[in-house]
Amino acid sequence: MADRISMLPACVLCHILSFLPTKQVVSTSVLSKTWNPLWRSVSTLHFDFQGRMYNCDLDKEKYSRFVQWVNEVILSRDLHQPIQTFCLRHRTLIVLKLNGLVLKSISSAGLPSLKILHLEEVCFLESKYLAELLSGCPVLEDLVAKDMEFDNSYPRSLTDRKFKSLPKGMLRVM
């Protein structure tokens, strides 16, 4: 009997794969030649490091491999396929650096441990998405915003925006 699932159009298969964690999505590439490139076009990425209570000193290598894997997945994707949903679960994420992104929307941001946020060449389609991101960072101490842009209906430069001071740290606009 033929594999009926593999006969579905690629867009349908990608939609089905979008409900799985990214680790499982990437592992489908070994199923067949048809499935091999599909994971690169899935528009939903779910990375999970949450719940893994590692000893920081002993498991730095595991964490380093996780970060490297996330980077490899993102860089290996089809560049013509936008990421519609990006979910990264990590209980103790302290530093987040985003570079060269267009953020069309943010439905929620929960970054309770984030202390350092660097945004470089990030375009927000609406300024409320930046506000949503920042509101999800209650202990943020250091914000670096460089070459940021907003949709045409808002000021193009972040330097035209005013921010309240951060609770314990500093704000640097470059």
Side-chain angles (χ1 to χ4, degrees):
M1 178 182 253
D3 176 11
R4 291 183 182 187
I5 293 176
S6 293
M7 289 192 237
L8 292 171
C11 63
V12 173
L13 292 172
C14 286
H15 180 71
I16 293 168
L17 290 174
S18 72
F19 294 99
L20 298 174
T22 300
K23 186 174 185 176
Q24 292 177 358
V25 172
V26 173
S27 68
T28 64
S29 65
V30 300
L31 294 176
S32 72
K33 290 181 181 180
T34 303
W35 288 82
N36 187 292
L38 282 178
W39 73 269
R40 291 179 171 88
S41 299
V42 174
S43 63
T44 302
L45 298 177
H46 293 276
F47 299 101
D48 190 358
F49 200 74
Q50 183 176 354
R52 299 180 185 184
M53 300 303 288
Y54 292 129
N55 179 322
C56 293
D57 293 329
L58 298 176
D59 295 317
K60 285 182 181 179
E61 185 178 326
K62 288 181 183 179
Y63 177 74
S64 178
R65 283 195 314 256
F66 174 77
V67 170
Q68 182 180 359
W69 180 73
V70 170
N71 285 331
E72 287 174 5
V73 167
I74 292 171
L75 294 174
S76 297
R77 292 187 77 259
D78 180 351
L79 297 177
H80 302 310
Q81 297 293 327
I83 297 172
Q84 300 294 331
T85 303
F86 183 87
C87 179
L88 173 65
R89 290 179 179 246
H90 190 296
R91 287 184 179 187
T92 58
L93 186 66
I94 296 172
V95 177
L96 179 61
K97 296 180 181 181
L98 301 175
N99 187 318
L101 295 175
V102 175
L103 294 173
K104 295 182 179 181
S105 70
I106 295 178
S107 58
S108 67
L111 301 163
S113 303
L114 194 72
K115 292 185 178 185
I116 300 169
L117 176 61
H118 291 193
L119 304 171
E120 186 172 342
E121 296 181 14
V122 176
C123 178
F124 292 90
L125 290 189
E126 294 187 35
S127 61
K128 69 180 180 180
Y129 300 137
L130 174 60
E132 180 69 34
L133 177 62
L134 294 177
S135 70
C137 306
V139 296
L140 190 64
E141 296 177 7
D142 185 8
L143 171 65
V144 176
K146 183 178 179 182
D147 298 327
M148 296 207 5
E149 293 185 8
F150 295 92
D151 184 60
N152 290 335
S153 61
Y154 296 93
R156 302 286 299 168
S157 170
L158 183 63
T159 56
D160 297 337
R161 311 296 294 169
K162 292 187 179 182
F163 290 90
K164 294 180 180 178
S165 62
L166 297 172
K168 294 182 181 178
M170 60 171 66
L171 168 67
R172 291 182 280 165
V173 179
M174 305 172 127

